[in-house]
Amino acid sequence: MTNQPRRILVAIKRVVDYNVRIRVKPDGSGVMLDSVKLSINPFDQIAVEEALRIKERGRADEVVIATIAPADAQATLRNALAMGAQRALHVVTEGASVEPLAAARVLLKLVEKEQPFLVILGKQAIDDDNNQTGQMLAALWNRPQATFASKVELTDTAAKVTREVDAGLETLEVDLPAVVTTDLRLNEPRFVKLPEIMKAKTKPLETLTLASLGIATDARVKVTRTDPPAGRQRGIMVKDTPALFAELQKRGLV
Amino acid sequence: MSQVLVIAEHAGGKLNVSTAKTVKAAASLAGAEIVVAVFTTAGSPVAAQAAQIAGVSRVLEVTHASNDHQLAATLAPQVAEVGKPFTHLFAPSTTFGKDLMPRVAALLDAPQISDVMSVESESRFKRPIYAGNAITTVEVAAGTKIIATIRTASFEAAAGGGNAKVESVASGVTLPSHTRFVALAAASADRPDLQSASKVISGGRALASADAFKLIYGLADKLGAAVGASRAAVDAGYAPNDMQVGQTGKIIAPELYIAIGISGAIQHLTGIKDARTIVAINKDSEAPIFEVADIGIVGDLFTIVPELEKLIDASRK
């Protein structure tokens, strides 16, 4: 055994806050993002929490947070540090969004640099809803993946992960190092206390650039148009159960 | 001409209906050759089932002992190998496809388009973002190999009656042993499958206990319906996770959807907006669910549901 610290890398993304009701621009050029509230992707917040709990159980020495985002996303990283993580890595981008496969390539570089035994990320970001990056990282790294996790149990060499799948709850055992992506019921993230926010301001935050990592992020999938979804018409209201039943019968549904 | 490889989803020797829906999406490409790949163990009947899907020209059957459980870690290298000559690789956007396809895309260095709801051309697709609150049209350069997951609620199942040739394909790739199946705690098998049922009855937070949730099962069994639940009901422990309907649960498109005691959070509505008829039972007349319901009734579910059951019973006498 080496004396390398047992490290967990958590990748987070800054997204439009889940409480914001998204509006599509009338000209179809995208969604309105001016002055909307931005927050850590909720699934990634669960990822941070899980990493911290693993550390608190004595199974990790250090939790490192990483993000790939414009320079002003530093506040999001500081929030994750305030939750209790030790360090952060900020791969700064210039505006253009980074596709999942490019993001996975960036994360692979960070994995090579940090040598974590576990990488945890949200199963998807709630902006693009792609649900790709964790699996892609696992493939590029040639390591196991356990996606949509609702329970993670660690031994020294493996992780037993319960996954939320369509058929029920599937349990996998994966050798470490591995990639885990989180589902909603894995945990409930802690609230950040003010002293922790103050402390987070002085925690180490390393800035890297895409160029220094040698990753090209040219978009291969281009969004050519954004439209609002087709709405449903509001239907009828019925006054009582017999009227409901009659309506269902009329439509041949019961 | 496009050559589409559809990755079959199956379990317990049965092809999942999501496969025929994915074939239907592939059939949107005029003149495309549609091939289904079945990754299975020796002696499985699944390839023969896939051969019956209309529009499929060939079925590639890849057998390997590790295909007993459909794990992304061991499937992805096989899919990537078999998928090399194809222009498009499609799988259903179920937890099976969502887990598997990004791993395949990374192995093939190809972009993935998730949750395709419309195949506009061989290089143009529509997909939802922001929990379905916006629909994007996305495009790749002509000739780009595409990995896609297909939003099954957006496509009907391709018909049966096909008679495609089944070809056995030997897989020469070395598969990793770093990922092992331990167990599957399956959902109740005596009710219709939520993802493919024509009728779904869902309960929400207003049920207020796991015990009261039995009311939902009772009505569902009377109608031969599958049972769903809102995220709030699942989080509260009234119903298991695999019943969750919504953006982060299952996205469904039944003929009839009855939402009982569900207020209708955006993430829930995202999961049901392709349902043919939505019925809402809720005591709060301001609940957002009524904005999308075809038939709404304001009242106490604990009164209305038993009344409805009695009327159904009486009509069948």
Side-chain angles (χ1 to χ4, degrees):
Chain A
M1 287 293 284
T2 60
N3 288 325
Q4 168 108 349
R6 295 167 301 168
R7 204 170 269 154
I8 302 176
L9 183 69
V10 181
I12 66 169
K13 185 178 182 185
R14 183 183 65 167
V15 298
V16 173
D17 188 86
Y18 72 98
N19 283 312
V20 172
R21 192 155 191 168
I22 280 297
R23 306 226 175 269
V24 175
K25 290 180 188 167
D27 66 359
S29 65
V31 296
M32 294 187 207
L33 296 175
D34 295 340
S35 69
V36 297
K37 186 183 175 198
L38 301 170
S39 306
I40 180 172
N41 176 43
F43 291 104
D44 299 341
Q45 197 169 22
I46 292 169
V48 175
E49 177 66 33
E50 194 64 20
L52 295 174
R53 290 186 190 189
I54 291 167
K55 180 174 178 290
E56 285 158 5
R57 285 199 299 267
R59 290 226 161 253
D61 301 311
E62 190 181 42
V63 174
V64 180
I65 310 292
T67 199
I68 307 164
D72 65 355
Q74 211 187 90
T76 309
L77 276 178
R78 292 283 176 204
N79 273 333
L81 289 172
M83 283 177 73
Q86 279 67 51
R87 287 193 289 127
L89 304 170
H90 186 176
V91 180
V92 179
T93 62
E94 307 283 343
S97 74
V98 177
E99 286 181 357
L101 192 48
R105 288 193 197 292
V106 172
L107 294 178
L108 181 66
K109 292 282 185 191
L110 302 184
V111 161
E112 286 163 356
K113 175 171 141 61
E114 298 289 343
Q115 302 284 314
F117 72 93
L118 193 60
V119 179
I120 315 181
L121 343 64
K123 71 168 180 179
Q124 70 192 70
I126 60 164
D127 50 4
D128 289 334
D129 287 332
N130 275 317
N131 197 333
Q132 299 178 14
T133 307
Q135 295 90 312
M136 287 174 163
L137 170 62
L140 298 175
W141 192 14
N142 202 14
R143 291 306 309 166
Q145 67 189 46
T147 54
F148 326 142
S150 65
K151 192 176 182 194
V152 178
E153 294 167 283
L154 288 173
T155 65
D156 288 338
T157 56
K160 205 160 126 187
V161 181
T162 303
R163 310 175 52 229
E164 297 203 1
V165 297
D166 292 338
L169 292 170
E170 183 187 72
T171 306
L172 294 183
E173 189 182 59
V174 295
D175 291 339
L176 299 174
V179 175
V180 169
T181 78
T182 63
D183 217 319
L184 279 179
R185 279 172 283 274
L186 181 57
N187 61 51
E188 276 195 46
R190 65 196 64 190
F191 287 104
V192 173
K193 297 184 194 83
L194 187 62
E196 299 298 329
I197 295 172
M198 300 311 290
K199 226 164 83 186
K201 286 181 179 168
T202 56
K203 287 184 179 176
L205 191 155
E206 185 183 349
T207 302
L208 303 109
T209 61
L210 289 168
S212 72
L213 296 171
I215 307 284
T217 56
D218 303 340
R220 290 197 282 186
V221 180
K222 296 203 163 72
V223 178
T224 56
R225 213 190 141 72
T226 305
D227 293 296
R232 282 187 79 100
Q233 296 291 323
R234 199 188 176 104
I236 58 160
M237 296 299 289
V238 293
K239 64 177 193 315
D240 56 18
T241 313
L244 170 63
F245 181 70
E247 196 58 42
L248 288 170
Q249 262 196 327
K250 197 174 93 187
R251 301 183 192 206
L253 293 168
V254 291
Chain B
M1 198 186 75
S2 302
Q3 288 179 300
V4 188
L5 186 69
V6 170
I7 314 306
E9 176 173 13
H10 61 92
K14 267 186 73 182
L15 190 67
N16 193 302
V17 68
S18 62
T19 308
K21 292 182 173 195
T22 306
V23 167
K24 187 80 174 179
S28 311
L29 293 168
E33 188 198 5
I34 303 172
V35 177
V36 175
V38 177
F39 298 87
T40 183
T41 48
S44 160
V46 175
Q49 295 165 24
Q52 289 168 24
I53 301 173
V56 174
S57 69
R58 288 182 291 146
V59 175
L60 305 179
E61 185 182 34
V62 185
T63 55
H64 194 286
S66 79
N67 291 344
D68 193 13
H69 299 288
Q70 301 275 292
L71 306 178
T74 42
L75 283 177
Q78 300 175 68
V79 175
E81 188 196 28
V82 173
K84 265 187 194 126
F86 291 85
T87 58
H88 300 71
L89 271 64
F90 284 6
S93 190
T94 53
T95 51
F96 164 75
K98 288 175 177 176
D99 186 39
L100 171 64
M101 295 309 265
R103 194 162 179 119
V104 173
L107 293 178
L108 291 172
D109 188 20
Q112 174 173 317
I113 300 173
S114 299
D115 301 319
V116 168
M117 53 195 295
S118 167
V119 178
E120 307 274 296
S121 80
E122 58 181 31
S123 56
R124 197 164 68 245
F125 306 85
K126 285 193 176 179
R127 64 172 302 265
I129 58 171
Y130 290 103
N133 286 302
I135 310 298
T136 56
T137 304
V138 298
E139 212 168 317
V140 296
T144 306
K145 190 188 194 82
I146 291 169
I147 312 300
T149 59
I150 304 299
R151 186 176 179 272
T152 52
S154 299
F155 297 90
E156 288 175 5
N163 187 23
K165 203 173 98 198
V166 177
E167 300 169 14
S168 279
V169 179
S171 171
V173 287
T174 322
L175 301 180
S177 58
H178 54 43
T179 304
R180 296 169 293 277
F181 173 85
V182 177
L184 175 68
S188 157
D190 48 7
R191 287 197 179 81
D193 171 49
L194 179 55
Q195 200 99 51
S196 53
S198 67
K199 292 174 183 172
V200 175
I201 317 292
S202 278
R205 199 203 311 259
L207 269 300
S209 75
D211 202 42
F213 206 87
K214 288 179 188 147
L215 198 64
I216 304 295
Y217 295 117
L219 180 60
D221 290 345
K222 211 142 260 181
L223 292 171
V227 177
S230 70
R231 183 172 134 194
V234 174
D235 284 349
Y238 308 160
N241 72 285
D242 47 66
M243 282 187 189
Q244 185 180 319
V245 172
Q247 183 206 356
T248 54
K250 292 193 171 78
I251 294 175
I252 57 173
E255 291 294 311
L256 173 65
Y257 184 78
I258 305 184
I260 300 174
I262 294 176
S263 63
I266 294 173
Q267 67 86 18
H268 186 77
L269 301 183
T270 300
I272 62 167
K273 62 180 155 210
D274 291 314
R276 186 69 55 86
T277 302
I278 296 175
V279 176
I281 301 172
N282 203 295
K283 66 179 190 304
D284 174 12
S285 64
E286 302 292 313
I289 189 80
F290 289 121
E291 285 167 35
V292 299
D294 299 278
I295 308 171
I297 178 167
V298 177
D300 182 4
L301 72 93
F302 293 103
T303 310
I304 294 169
V305 174
E307 283 178 357
L308 188 58
E309 282 195 33
K310 275 192 196 123
L311 288 163
I312 291 166
D313 286 342
S315 73
R316 288 176 180 172
K317 275 183 184 147

